[in-house]
């Protein structure tokens, strides 16, 4: 009769089995934790692998090769969505696509100046042909060509700001609508600014365009609710990106920190999580809402 100890010894794996076991473990760990891993599959707190909250959704994000738009694209893709990034410059699109692909995320890119009808048409055609529909639209593209007096702004300046910031989200959404309606539960996010509530001096037309987006959100939310499309608005405060360089001087940042109490300015990633939530089933009864991400709240 073998002793219990000898019996246990009989179960000890051979060197080769151990090597094989380590190989399998190493492979699994690499697949799960490497930055190239498909992040639509993640481990939940129960240890069960689960699909990302936006798995299989198709998300179009304008102005998404830098800053807030890029952080949103990255987050939605990490949460399982197939994302389409776009902006005016091909080299920026290529760079953004390469970064996201390097992470193993599902991404396509296309150059699209949102103020140009032909660019919007090409984007919509590509998305419809390649994906067969759209579930999420995030309109992050925005411009501010003027620092100066509101009443001194030229007609050209007014046209550019209103075309890109206000008209283009409505026009693009109108073009994507047939491709969203057939998907059922869809989500649209417009990107305003705290300048909508607190006008920043010398940015008059920009402030006004961002206030108009709050109205556009409310109107579209009511109009599209019967079609199963929710429309909400991200309202960022000062977020560290090239766009906000103009208001990032040291004394301005000190003032802002004093005003807010929070000892930092925002990062693009601070905006991304709330957008993911607003696109997810967890927010399925929220529409027409403006959500401020600013380190303080400018509204009641
Ligand atoms: P950003 O870092 O400068 O990035 C802007 C992105 O939009 C880039 O990818 C740019 O790429 C693209 N873009 C610019 N004009 C475009 C156009 N006409 N059509 C398509 N793409 C365009 O800016 P951001 O700070 O992330 O700003 C994003 C949005 O947040 C804007 O709507 C802005 O008003 C709003 N916002 C920003 C702040 C802030 O503090 N940063 C605060 C409140 C609100 P290309 O150059 O290749 O086109």
């Amino acid at each position: 009769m073998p002793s219990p100890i000898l019996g246990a010894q009989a179960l000890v794996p051979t060197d080769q089995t151990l090597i094989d076991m380590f190989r399998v473990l190493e492979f699994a760990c690499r697949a799960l934790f490497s930055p190239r891993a498909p992040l639509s599959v993640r481990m939940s707190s129960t240890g069960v692998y689960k699909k990302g909250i936006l798995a299989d959704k198709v998300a179009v994000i304008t102005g998404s090769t830098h800053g807030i738009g890029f952080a949103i694209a990255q987050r939605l893709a990490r949460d399982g969505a197939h994302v389409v990034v776009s902006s005016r410059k091909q080299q920026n699109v290529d760079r953004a696509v390469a970064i996201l692909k390097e992470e193993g995320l599902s991404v396509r890119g296309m150059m699209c100046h949102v103020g140009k009808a032909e660019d919007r048409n090409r984007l919509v055609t590509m998305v419809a042909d390649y994906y067969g529909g759209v579930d999420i639209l995030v309109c992050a593209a925005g411009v501010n060509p003027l620092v100066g007096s509101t009443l001194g702004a030229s007609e050209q300046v007014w046209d550019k700001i209103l075309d890109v910031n206000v008209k283009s989200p409505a026009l693009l959404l109108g073009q994507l609508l047939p491709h969203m309606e057939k998907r059922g539960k869809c989500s649209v996010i417009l990107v305003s600014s705290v300048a909508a509530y607190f006008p920043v001096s010398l940015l008059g037309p920009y402030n006004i365009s961002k206030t108009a987006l709050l109205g556009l959100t409310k109107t579209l939310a009511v109009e599209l609710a019967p079609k199963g499309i929710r429309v909400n608005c991200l309202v960022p405060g000062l977020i560290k990106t090239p766009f906000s360089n103009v208001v990032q001087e040291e004394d301005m940042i000190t003032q802002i920190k004093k005003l807010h109490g929070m000892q930092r300015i925002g990062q693009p990633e601070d905006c991304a999580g709330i957008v993911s939530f607003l696109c997810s089933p967890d927010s399925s009864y929220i529409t027409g809402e403006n959500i401020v991400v600013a380190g303080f709240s400018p509204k009641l």
Side-chain angles (χ1 to χ4, degrees), residues 7-37:
Q9 265 177 348
L11 292 174
V12 171
T14 63
D15 281 356
Q16 187 53 48
T17 328
L18 269 176
I19 290 167
D20 288 346
M21 277 167 57
F22 277 123
R23 281 209 180 120
V24 170
L25 257 175
E26 191 195 356
F27 178 79
C29 288
R30 270 177 203 256
L32 277 175
F33 301 117
S34 110
R36 286 165 187 270

Side-chain angles (χ1 to χ4, degrees), residues 212-234:
L213 285 173
L214 304 184
L216 186 62
T217 303
K218 300 273 177 211
T219 296
L220 291 178
V222 171
E223 220 169 290
L224 299 180
K227 297 180 190 296
I229 300 172
R230 296 182 294 112
V231 185
N232 290 293
C233 191
L234 169 73

Side-chain angles (χ1 to χ4, degrees), residues 62-72 85-87 89 91-93 95-96 140 241-243 268:
T62 70
S64 48
T65 59
H66 275 112
I68 295 171
F70 178 78
I72 292 171
V85 295
S86 63
S87 77
K89 297 177 195 127
Q91 75 266 25
N92 290 344
V93 174
R95 184 190 136 276
T241 70
F243 183 82

Side-chain angles (χ1 to χ4, degrees), residues 92-108:
N92 290 344
V93 174
D94 293 342
R95 184 190 136 276
V97 168
I99 295 173
L100 298 178
K101 278 204 170 142
E102 175 66 18
E103 228 188 283
L105 301 172
S106 173
V107 58
R108 279 177 79 79

Side-chain angles (χ1 to χ4, degrees), residues 146-273:
L146 174 80
V147 179
S149 120
T150 306
L151 298 181
S154 67
E155 190 165 356
Q156 212 185 2
V157 162
W158 277 109
D159 285 347
K160 181 168 182 174
I161 290 186
L162 295 178
D163 279 354
V164 171
N165 294 5
V166 185
K167 281 163 62 182
S168 79
L171 293 169
L172 182 59
L173 177 54
Q175 288 171 277
L176 284 173
L177 194 59
H179 308 291
M180 293 185 116
E181 275 179 294
K182 61 183 174 200
R183 303 287 270 219
K185 294 175 183 157
C186 296
S187 186
V188 176
I189 311 294
L190 306 182
V191 179
S192 174
S193 162
V194 287
Y197 292 98
F198 273 133
V200 181
S201 67
L202 303 181
L203 302 185
Y206 174 80
N207 300 333
I208 292 160
S209 73
K210 293 298 181 180
T211 309
L213 285 173
L214 304 184
L216 186 62
T217 303
K218 300 273 177 211
T219 296
L220 291 178
V222 171
E223 220 169 290
L224 299 180
K227 297 180 190 296
I229 300 172
R230 296 182 294 112
V231 185
N232 290 293
C233 191
L234 169 73
V235 184
L238 183 60
I239 306 291
K240 197 169 173 42
T241 70
F243 183 82
S244 57
N245 269 345
V246 64
V247 284
Q248 279 180 28
E249 289 108 23
E250 211 37 62
D251 53 339
M252 169 75 99
I253 291 176
T254 311
Q255 286 298 326
I256 286 171
K257 283 180 182 168
K258 252 193 225 156
L259 179 73
H260 299 178
M262 232 183 238
Q263 294 304 303
R264 68 180 183 92
I265 61 168
Q267 298 295 328
E269 293 71 24
D270 288 316
C271 299

